[in-house]
Amino acid sequence: EKPTARGFHAMWLSGYTIFIHGGQGTGGVGISSVRSDTWSFDVFTKVWKQFGTSDASPAASSLAVAPLSSTVAVAFGGLGSDNSPTTDCVYFDAKSGWTKADPAGARPPRSAGHSALYDNDSFQMLVSFGVALGPRLPD
């Protein structure tokens, strides 16, 4: 079994494993084709693995994911199931799946198609660019 075709998905590398989440499926633009599934691909064994979904699984495309360690990543924003940018923040752990997060401090504006990285020294996720509520870049 392997994931269905998609674009605008989140993808990150952890060790020798590639993870993908969400994205826009082949059904066209709109909420009917937004994916909320998470998969990993082991580059050595060439085997796909699907993770279970939960209420914390982001139903999103065009979100940014930043790896925190070899098994944990954090995701922010993206287009939600209503096709609007979100400020959702969730963690993914390869052992337990998705968990909702409530980070301290102010959040960036709603955005999709943005970039993010995690700074281990300051324990912060840095988010930049993206589209908020129209064809503009908020930063």
Side-chain angles (χ1 to χ4, degrees):
E1 191 176 10
K2 60 184 178 179
T4 57
R6 68 193 66 212
F8 308 107
H9 53 282
M11 183 168 73
W12 66 99
L13 177 66
S14 181
Y16 297 102
T17 304
I18 298 169
F19 291 87
I20 65 167
H21 175 78
Q24 196 77 36
T26 58
V29 176
I31 60 172
S32 64
S33 69
V34 171
R35 304 282 182 238
S36 62
D37 53 346
T38 305
W39 293 79
S40 67
F41 180 75
D42 185 304
V43 298
F44 288 120
T45 63
K46 297 183 172 55
V47 173
W48 284 102
K49 174 185 173 187
Q50 184 175 17
F51 292 86
T53 59
S54 71
D55 289 344
S57 297
S61 64
S62 303
L63 74 158
V65 175
L68 301 180
S69 70
S70 61
T71 60
V72 179
V74 64
F76 173 78
L79 294 175
S81 59
D82 64 353
N83 214 31
S84 295
T86 73
T87 59
D88 294 344
C89 188
V90 291
Y91 288 99
F92 177 78
D93 185 320
K95 296 175 186 163
S96 58
W98 292 99
T99 304
K100 291 185 180 186
D102 189 19
R107 292 188 188 194
R110 297 174 178 270
S111 62
H114 50 286
S115 298
L117 63 89
Y118 187 78
D119 180 11
N120 284 316
D121 292 335
S122 66
F123 304 107
Q124 293 184 50
M125 182 179 195
L126 306 171
V127 178
S128 186
F129 304 110
V131 176
L133 296 174
R136 68 177 188 87
L137 300 175
D139 54 3

